[in-house]
Amino acid sequence: MQEIRDRLFELQDLGYRDFHSKLMPNVDKERVIGVRTPALRKLAKEIAKGPLAEDFIQELPHHYYEENNLHGALIGEMYKAPLEILEKIDQFLPYVDNWATCDTLAPKTLRKDMSLLRKRIMPWLDSDQVYRVRFAIVTMLQLFLDESFEA
């Protein structure tokens, strides 16, 4: 969606792009715009309130790394029910192609239903999709190492 892409390019920091690209050697540098995470999250909060957000969420795959990160941030901003969030993440995970996007994808709202979360992500550990497995592990590390821990 060109309007959102234009907004991302307005936030571009080429020095940050060069630095961050080195952390993701499997992502072509030409697919990285160079938007810092706080600016991207602020943009997600703004876009989530408008009519473009739902169209953007439905438009997969995205070309740019930051479009994927924005997609993940929008999931956390637009949806509040844990089941709905997990369904949106499930739809998005096949398009995640790097550790950085994957690791920023765990909305805190998922804490509202830890039983559902556990039931949905445990099968993902057996997936043949690397980032589906990684998402499950990162989510478990973020959300299940406190009173929700089960041995």
Side-chain angles (χ1 to χ4, degrees), residues 13-129:
D13 177 335
L14 292 174
Y16 180 72
R17 175 190 135 172
D18 293 343
F19 165 76
H20 200 62
S21 292
K22 292 175 186 172
L23 301 175
M24 305 177 302
N26 64 314
V27 177
D28 182 3
K29 184 177 176 179
E30 298 307 312
R31 290 187 43 234
V32 179
I33 298 169
V35 179
R36 295 178 182 269
T37 302
L40 193 128
R41 290 186 196 274
K42 183 177 178 184
L43 180 61
K45 286 179 187 291
E46 180 185 325
I47 291 173
K49 300 172 187 170
L52 297 175
E54 192 62 47
D55 289 341
F56 182 78
I57 289 283
Q58 299 304 320
E59 185 181 280
L60 287 168
H62 301 297
H63 178 71
Y64 288 100
Y65 160 75
E66 285 85 356
E67 289 175 320
N68 282 328
N69 288 358
L70 181 61
H71 187 119
L74 283 171
I75 290 172
E77 289 294 325
M78 294 171 58
Y79 307 102
K80 300 306 174 198
L83 180 59
E84 193 173 26
I85 290 170
L86 286 166
E87 288 171 356
K88 294 298 181 183
I89 289 172
D90 193 29
Q91 292 167 1
F92 180 52
L93 282 172
Y95 302 99
V96 173
D97 64 355
N98 66 84
W99 68 268
T101 299
C102 184
D103 291 6
T104 61
L105 233 166
K108 297 200 183 339
T109 310
L110 292 175
R111 287 185 188 272
K112 289 182 179 178
D113 192 338
M114 297 298 279
S115 174
L116 170 67
L117 178 59
R118 181 178 283 110
K119 185 168 60 172
R120 288 296 295 264
I121 70 170
M122 291 307 283
W124 294 355
L125 293 170
D126 292 327
S127 175
D128 61 351
Q129 296 176 10

Side-chain angles (χ1 to χ4, degrees), residues 1-10 43 47 51-52:
M1 174 162 285
Q2 192 59 47
E3 185 175 339
I4 290 176
R5 190 173 284 172
D6 290 345
R7 296 284 305 278
L8 288 168
F9 272 96
E10 289 171 9
L43 180 61
I47 291 173
L52 297 175

